[in-house]
Amino acid sequence: MDGEELTAQQTALYDRQIRVWGVDAQKRLSKANVLVSGLNGTLAEFCKNVVLAGVGSLTLMDDRLVSDDDLRSNFLIPPDEAKKSGGSLAEVYCNSLKEFNPMVHVSVEKGNLTQFHGDLFDKFDAVVVSCCTLKEKRMINEKCRERDRRIAFYTVECRDSCGEIFVDLQNYTYAQKKSDDNVKYHLEYPSFQEAISVPWRDLPRKTTKTYFAMRVLEHFEYFHNRKYGETSASDLPIVLNLRKTLCDEQGVNESLIPEKLLDHLLSAGAKEHPPVCAILGGILGQEVIKAISGKGDPLKNFFYFDAADGKGIIEDISPVSKH
Amino acid sequence: MASCSQLDAVKGAKVLMVGAGGIGCELLKTLALSGFEDIHVIDMDTIEVSNLNRQFLFRQSHVGQSKAKVARDAVLKFRPHINITPYHANVKSPEFNVEFFKQFSVVLNGLDNLDARRHVNRLCLAAEVPLVESGTTGFLGQVTVHIKGKTECYECQPKPTPKSYPVCTITSTPSKYVHCVVWAKDLLFAKLFGDRNQVNDLNVHSSDDGDTSKSTEDVFERNQNEDPEKYGRRIYDHVFGYNIELALANEETWINRKKPRPIYMKDVLPIESFQQNGKLDNCIKEDVAISAMQVVGLTNPQDIWSLAENTKVFFEALRLFIEKREKDIGNLTFDKDDQLAVEFVTAAANIRASSFGIPMHSLFETKGIAGNIVHAVATTNAVIAGLIVIEAVKVLQGDFCNCRMTYCLEHPSRKMLLMPVEPFEANKSCYVCSEKPLLLELNTQKYRLRDFVEKIVRNKLGMNLPLVMIGANLIFEAGDDLEDDVAANYARNLEKVLAELPTPVTSGTVLTVEDLQQELTCNIVIKHREEFDEEKEPDEMVLTGWNAPNKESRFTSNGESSTHSAQVSERTETTVDTDTGRERSVITGTKRKLSEIEAASDNSEIQSLKPNSANHETPQQVIDNDDDEDDIVMLDAFPEAGKKKKVEVS
């Protein structure tokens, strides 16, 4: 790759990972700008990973003040200082993350990402959101897609022991070494809306149940004007009705989505299980690094982890035209 | 699921973490966030710059300090009220005995070497404490659970050993760059800068014309007051020119091989450019690390240097050793963090590669090969640490039947990036966790007790403080606190061959070896044998009864990374390692190829991955209890049995 060489300092710091993904990938990383919004324990893990990896810049958005809930599964918030300072979540994260790697520019952007003008997206290579409602996910995803340059879009959710990652790389081409030859691969990703519009009947029978359960929850929060994760076990009766309605619409049997799983997700609300945060933040970090560096097969387009069975599963949920 | 019982189990638990490096930093953080309140951490290492890209609890200002202690302080910043007890010590030191281990509810390993892993395994078995073991390389990793009486122990399966190369490949017929690196590091570098008394094959095999070792020995000795320039030229011409000429004289060697080209310094560097180069000597500043690259004007460690550049670096590095580090000469061993040593080895390996028509490599790559540097990224360590905590919580709740070994893959297998597998049953012939005796064939008239203790008891069996008994008679015991007369007696015994010990060893004798720290006892049945095949059995002994890894050879190196680009095929047995690269992940085979697994992902009906249909109803065999439609990943624990055995859960 063209461009300046890595400095001696970079080479020394990144030695072990350059051995994994090469100098060119490291150079691309050091020029990439990543935006995260909706900060929680999972995104704390993600931020740590991309800052350590040496992205060019990381921009944090979340104006909420630090609450006790935020402290629970978070290593970026020193409990006493954070409350005293009265800073926003983004500011507290920023102060901690800066120390992890002096070569990465970590900063705060105020406001709400859904209100962002399109051109503000242009400076980013990847946008990662969590704690978003269905409506927000759609909006931000569409704004990324409207731009001329490709902006990778990711969502991540951790509801206790269950997690979901969604990836939209739009039209993504990458090279992969195959027995000394560089083979070019091309992937076409659906948007979030396109993906969740795929009729359930058309999906393989073995598609993870968590996918469907997450969609039910998303719709529940949407129809009842709840914030992300604003749920409890007492919502179960309404959610079971919604399950029936959705399954009827889709022409599938409602046993597709176990009641136990819905109950579990509703009780969890926005509460995260720290080991699962680490796993989701690790996988998501790696995916963003892959997309930026153009190294490695990116996952398409959903990832699921459930501590109950320990499986980390990839599901490709795309309309037929984008398979 | 953070249920009440889970929180109680976690809160009341006292856990031991061994290793505060790549996995350790992530693990300590995740444990603290998950509600653990009493965590003990052992790590003997201090922090280095190359750790900082992933060991996120450490900063530049911590370089040189104890990992265990700095990690503790960093975690207390976000969890001020929990107890973390750091030990800046080697886990093998005697203070960490069985009693020490017994105080913990579970032991979590984030180690970087096989030796320590084996040691901890034994202590956990003796103390009857469950062990959660882990390792990563690049994007690959795994977490395994070992519970005495319920699953296999860490040593039930043979572990990969570092790749080794035949001596003659290194000394005479290299065909890959790694061979040149091993030659440059273990032979040339050792010869010039290491212990002169060490046996070294540098000349013996490269010149087949019966040179006496005496005359060749002198070549590497610098004469008193010999000009470093002249000395360097002499060494260069000898090893890259003269020795190659000698090797070429043996025509049989080259019948089916490409002939090497002798390289002399005058052909590479005309005298003028060479002398001009010498003047650059003044550029060296005392305050920067001594570097030949710098003197020569090379800056990028990623570049592949030309033959002329390598020659200059070779020459300058040699000269710098003589002029700036004379007192080191004679007792250096190769160290990947010694810049000048890496430069010398890179240059020498490349010149040799050039001679043999092998593609040359950069300093960066050479350093990785020579230093056995393990590829490491933060993300894999974070994922693995999360999986360790999930397993630890199950162990603490006594939920053993849901414990899993989990593999972290680079490429999905049957849609899975994280693949849980049921733990394997203990290997009944494992000398560590079963009481099965070992069989040892050796020549009792020739084999000395010292070799038995060092090569077999310490190296092969991994004992740390062994004692050796024949029946009730103690013939050797390790330790510093022995009475003088006892120590003298043992010292005499060590020099004796087995047949001449006070209690003579003959065919059929049973030796008992015991490690009091590990509380491991092992019986070894001796079989006398006169002859051993020099090539196939260079150790002059055969140890069986345990599925031991292959024989060792004198050249061990990590070699080309096979795991890295390769898919995780077969059963990824212990992609060992976090950090310093004392080992390298190797995929060993119990013979289930990924191709089968991949095939299965396209066709769920493939039987090879399903349990025997007869057993299909057994609920324990189902990994995913919620979903009995799922295939169950079956991996072979025991190739001879041809199918996986069930873990009995009581």
Side-chain angles (χ1 to χ4, degrees):
Chain A
M1 195 175 109
D2 305 325
E4 63 268 42
E5 302 297 336
L6 295 176
T7 63
Q9 193 192 4
Q10 286 172 317
T11 309
L13 177 64
Y14 300 134
D15 184 281
R16 296 302 186 272
Q17 65 198 41
I18 291 173
R19 294 180 191 281
V20 176
W21 50 59
V23 187
D24 287 349
Q26 189 64 48
K27 285 187 203 162
R28 279 184 216 116
L29 271 176
S30 69
K31 290 189 186 117
N33 304 305
V34 178
L35 174 70
V36 297
S37 168
L39 302 178
N40 55 9
T42 305
L43 281 189
E45 290 280 351
F46 167 78
C47 292
K48 171 204 71 189
N49 294 335
V50 291
V51 167
L52 290 173
V55 294
S57 80
L58 177 70
T59 306
L60 302 154
M61 281 188 87
D62 201 324
D63 296 344
R64 291 178 295 169
L65 297 180
V66 176
S67 73
D68 284 337
D69 285 348
D70 293 316
L71 295 178
R72 197 161 38 207
S73 47
N74 208 306
F75 57 93
L76 292 178
I77 311 176
D80 304 328
E81 289 167 45
K83 286 199 174 157
K84 256 184 274 165
S85 76
S88 70
L89 264 182
E91 283 162 345
V92 175
Y93 271 51
C94 180
N95 288 336
S96 292
L97 286 166
K98 270 181 180 165
E99 290 182 20
F100 287 8
N101 187 348
M103 285 185 263
V104 177
H105 182 71
V106 187
S107 65
V108 173
E109 182 80 49
K110 292 205 163 148
N112 184 331
L113 193 51
T114 52
Q115 316 290 314
F116 250 43
H117 276 293
D119 50 352
L120 282 170
F121 282 86
D122 280 345
K123 61 180 172 198
F124 298 108
D125 301 278
V127 171
V128 180
V129 301
S130 190
C131 309
C132 275
T133 61
L134 172 61
K135 202 171 143 190
E136 289 166 335
K137 283 185 208 169
R138 284 183 191 144
M139 273 175 76
I140 300 166
N141 189 193
E142 285 315 314
K143 284 185 185 231
C144 290
R145 286 193 152 242
E146 280 165 11
R147 310 313 304 168
D148 291 336
R149 64 190 302 257
R150 189 174 55 81
I151 302 168
F153 173 76
Y154 301 83
T155 71
V156 63
E157 265 172 44
C158 177
R159 296 181 194 247
D160 194 16
S161 62
C162 288
E164 177 185 74
I165 294 171
F166 166 76
V167 182
D168 176 14
L169 302 183
Q170 302 174 29
N171 291 308
Y172 185 74
T173 308
Y174 66 105
Q176 189 77 290
K177 269 225 153 119
K178 269 222 169 145
S179 55
D180 285 346
D181 284 336
N182 266 328
V183 183
K184 280 216 163 177
Y185 291 92
H186 183 78
L187 291 174
E188 256 189 78
Y189 285 76
S191 69
F192 186 72
Q193 182 58 37
E194 286 170 322
I196 63 170
S197 305
V198 175
W200 291 1
R201 262 175 316 182
D202 297 351
L203 295 174
R205 207 167 52 92
K206 283 180 183 291
T207 305
T208 179
K209 294 166 169 47
T210 318
Y211 169 77
F212 304 104
M214 289 289 196
R215 303 290 76 79
V216 173
L217 242 72
E218 217 165 53
H219 278 89
F220 169 75
E221 288 172 353
Y222 178 70
F223 290 137
H224 294 265
N225 259 325
R226 303 282 180 93
K227 288 186 195 152
Y228 166 82
E230 206 180 17
T231 61
S232 72
S234 62
D235 295 321
L236 187 62
I238 308 173
V239 169
L240 288 178
N241 280 334
L242 179 61
R243 171 182 75 169
K244 184 164 185 348
T245 315
L246 289 174
C247 288
D248 287 351
E249 271 173 29
Q250 297 278 355
V252 295
N253 192 311
E254 59 183 317
S255 66
L256 184 67
I257 314 167
E259 179 177 332
K260 218 176 95 188
L261 179 57
L262 288 172
D263 185 31
H264 178 62
L265 294 173
L266 285 169
S267 311
K271 197 177 75 201
E272 302 167 278
H273 190 35
V276 179
C277 295
I279 291 164
L280 293 171
I283 300 281
L284 180 61
Q286 201 48 56
E287 286 306 314
V288 170
I289 291 166
K290 275 186 207 166
I292 291 170
S293 63
K295 273 258 166 147
D297 302 311
L299 77 79
K300 180 177 182 248
N301 52 348
F302 285 89
F303 174 81
Y304 291 90
F305 181 78
D306 188 347
D309 63 13
K311 288 181 190 169
I313 299 174
I314 297 173
E315 296 286 359
D316 183 351
I317 297 177
S318 310
V320 183
S321 60
K322 294 190 174 180
H323 260 295
Chain B
M1 294 132 288
S3 62
C4 292
S5 72
Q6 195 174 86
L7 281 177
D8 289 346
V10 162
K11 261 189 197 288
K14 184 172 182 179
V15 302
L16 175 65
M17 271 179 55
V18 192
I23 293 175
C25 279
E26 294 288 339
L27 181 57
L28 187 58
K29 171 259 299 166
T30 306
L31 285 172
L33 293 178
S34 302
F36 285 80
E37 294 183 342
D38 191 358
I39 309 167
H40 292 238
V41 190
I42 302 175
D43 197 314
M44 67 188 290
D45 284 341
T46 54
I47 297 158
E48 291 176 35
V49 171
S50 62
N51 300 150
L52 301 178
N53 79 320
R54 63 197 183 287
Q55 299 175 19
F56 76 103
L57 299 173
F58 309 145
R59 307 277 171 269
Q60 187 74 43
S61 60
H62 296 137
V63 170
Q65 297 182 40
S66 154
K67 286 188 175 180
K69 290 179 180 164
V70 175
R72 168 188 183 270
D73 295 346
V75 168
L76 289 183
K77 282 192 180 151
F78 59 86
R79 281 294 180 274
H81 304 301
I82 65 171
N83 292 309
I84 302 176
T85 313
Y87 306 84
H88 183 202
N90 187 337
V91 68
K92 288 174 80 175
S93 59
E95 56 184 303
F96 306 121
N97 53 17
V98 173
E99 278 311 302
F100 175 86
F101 273 71
K102 275 187 175 160
Q103 63 183 307
F104 299 105
S105 325
V106 64
V107 174
L108 313 172
N109 268 358
L111 279 163
D112 63 2
N113 69 89
L114 184 62
D115 209 31
R117 282 186 167 99
R118 294 173 73 181
H119 187 79
V120 172
N121 179 48
R122 289 155 192 212
L123 282 158
C124 286
L125 285 168
E128 305 207 14
V129 180
L131 169 66
V132 182
E133 173 62 68
S134 68
T136 65
T137 351
F139 301 120
L140 307 178
Q142 84 285 320
V143 173
T144 55
V145 183
H146 306 282
I147 305 169
K148 191 176 180 181
K150 295 193 166 66
T151 71
E152 64 176 359
C153 83
Y154 175 69
E155 294 174 84
C156 277
Q157 304 286 333
K159 294 291 171 278
T161 47
K163 193 159 171 53
S164 58
Y165 303 96
V167 172
C168 62
T169 306
I170 301 303
T171 56
S172 319
T173 55
S175 57
K176 291 177 175 165
Y177 186 66
V178 62
H179 302 150
C180 301
V181 174
V182 174
W183 176 86
K185 180 180 86 158
D186 293 348
L187 295 183
L188 187 60
F189 182 85
K191 187 82 189 171
L192 291 172
F193 309 120
D195 180 358
R196 289 250 150 79
N197 298 322
Q198 289 258 310
V199 184
N200 189 310
D201 288 316
L202 188 56
N203 280 71
V204 180
H205 290 257
S206 57
S207 57
D208 283 339
D209 67 347
D211 248 11
T212 65
S213 63
K214 196 165 174 248
S215 68
T216 53
E217 206 65 60
D218 294 338
V219 172
F220 296 97
E221 202 68 52
R222 186 162 76 95
N223 303 325
Q224 238 178 350
N225 300 326
E226 185 178 10
D227 180 41
E229 185 177 319
K230 207 177 140 202
Y231 174 64
R233 203 169 257 280
R234 197 156 60 73
I235 297 296
Y236 188 101
D237 288 348
H238 181 80
V239 298
F240 300 117
Y242 175 73
N243 275 358
I244 302 291
E245 304 260 21
L246 285 183
L248 283 170
N250 191 348
E251 286 181 10
E252 266 176 50
T253 311
W254 311 108
I255 291 170
N256 290 315
R257 288 190 178 91
K258 199 177 155 199
K259 285 186 182 177
R261 172 176 67 99
I263 300 176
Y264 291 94
M265 206 181 225
K266 65 177 186 328
D267 303 326
V268 181
L269 288 185
I271 294 289
E272 318 81 70
S273 71
F274 179 64
Q275 281 171 339
Q276 188 187 21
N277 177 43
K279 287 181 200 142
L280 289 168
D281 192 38
N282 302 332
C283 302
I284 305 171
K285 299 184 192 97
E286 291 300 330
D287 57 329
V288 293
I290 298 170
S291 158
M293 251 174 93
Q294 223 172 26
V295 175
V296 175
L298 298 167
T299 54
N300 189 349
Q302 309 282 346
D303 285 343
I304 296 171
W305 304 329
S306 67
L307 178 58
E309 285 166 334
N310 276 299
T311 301
K312 284 181 193 171
V313 171
F314 176 92
F315 181 77
E316 283 303 332
L318 187 58
R319 181 158 66 165
L320 287 170
F321 268 119
I322 292 167
E323 290 180 353
K324 305 282 176 188
R325 295 175 56 178
E326 192 166 10
K327 62 179 187 304
D328 292 344
I329 295 176
N331 46 40
L332 276 174
T333 48
F334 177 81
D335 172 3
K336 69 181 187 329
D337 297 316
D338 179 342
Q339 172 70 18
L340 196 57
V342 173
E343 290 173 347
F344 179 84
V345 166
T346 302
N350 274 315
I351 299 163
R352 186 166 172 86
S354 170
S355 174
F356 281 85
I358 296 166
M360 305 212 277
H361 285 66
S362 69
L363 177 124
F364 179 82
E365 290 167 302
T366 310
K367 180 178 168 181
I369 299 168
N372 284 357
I373 295 176
V374 168
H375 306 186
V377 288
T379 49
T380 313
N381 289 336
V383 171
I384 288 299
L387 293 169
I388 294 172
V389 175
I390 289 172
E391 292 310 318
V393 170
K394 288 187 224 168
V395 168
L396 292 172
Q397 290 179 292
D399 185 13
F400 301 126
C401 55
N402 280 313
C403 285
R404 293 290 174 269
M405 334 195 251
T406 308
Y407 296 101
C408 180
L409 310 175
E410 184 175 0
H411 304 287
S413 164
R414 307 171 71 243
K415 294 205 305 193
M416 281 186 273
L417 272 184
L418 301 175
M419 186 166 77
V421 179
E422 278 190 72
F424 295 143
E425 196 180 56
N427 174 354
K428 292 197 175 62
S429 75
C430 172
Y431 75 93
V432 180
C433 70
S434 82
E435 278 162 23
K436 186 144 184 246
L438 294 163
L439 180 68
L440 177 63
E441 293 174 64
L442 44 67
N443 186 331
T444 55
Q445 312 281 350
K446 283 187 180 168
Y447 213 88
R448 289 184 313 158
L449 182 63
R450 176 181 298 284
D451 292 328
F452 175 76
V453 170
E454 293 303 321
K455 293 183 182 166
I456 296 170
V457 179
R458 284 190 200 273
N459 286 353
K460 294 269 177 203
L461 303 185
M463 289 192 182
N464 196 26
L465 287 170
L467 60 81
V468 181
M469 291 189 295
I470 304 173
N473 299 331
L474 194 55
I475 55 170
F476 173 76
E477 190 177 1
D480 312 325
D481 51 351
L482 302 169
E483 299 286 334
D484 287 351
D485 57 331
V486 176
N489 188 28
Y490 291 156
R492 274 194 301 277
N493 283 349
L494 281 177
E495 301 315 318
K496 289 180 180 158
V497 298
L498 297 184
E500 283 164 15
L501 287 168
T503 316
V505 174
T506 55
S507 247
T509 305
V510 178
L511 289 171
T512 303
V513 293
E514 196 172 334
D515 187 308
L516 295 179
Q517 190 191 359
Q518 299 173 346
E519 291 194 8
L520 175 64
T521 305
C522 189
N523 290 319
I524 303 175
V525 184
I526 301 295
K527 186 178 172 195
H528 175 80
R529 193 169 124 192
E530 290 287 331
E531 299 293 331
F532 288 86
D533 185 319
E534 242 176 74
E535 277 298 310
K536 289 182 191 148
E537 301 157 333
D539 300 333
E540 304 203 314
M541 61 94 189
V542 177
L543 184 65
T544 49
W546 168 54
N547 36 11
N550 288 336
K551 66 184 162 80
E552 283 159 29
S553 146
R554 62 179 305 140
F555 297 111
T556 52
S557 182
N558 58 316
E560 299 91 342
S561 161
S562 53
T563 12
H564 209 70
S565 48
Q567 298 235 353
V568 176
S569 50
E570 313 173 8
R571 176 184 175 194
T572 47
E573 177 48 57
T574 330
T575 53
V576 187
D577 282 287
T578 44
D579 267 5
T580 39
R582 287 165 204 146
E583 286 163 56
R584 196 52 178 256
S585 73
V586 178
I587 291 166
T588 61
T590 35
K591 316 293 180 204
R592 175 133 290 158
K593 296 249 163 49
L594 186 67
S595 52
E596 292 177 45
I597 297 177
E598 281 181 331
S601 67
D602 296 323
N603 178 358
S604 58
E605 300 311 314
I606 286 193
Q607 288 298 317
S608 65
L609 286 165
K610 288 202 165 189
N612 286 349
S613 50
N615 296 335
H616 200 198
E617 293 78 33
T618 316
Q620 279 176 1
Q621 289 213 319
V622 180
I623 284 175
D624 179 350
N625 289 324
D626 290 338
D627 185 356
D628 56 5
E629 288 172 7
D630 272 20
D631 291 338
I632 291 146
V633 177
M634 302 296 290
L635 297 175
D636 295 334
F638 305 100
E640 73 278 12
K643 63 173 185 180
K644 183 174 168 304
K645 297 186 182 165
K646 273 302 306 158
V647 174
E648 301 296 332
V649 180
S650 51

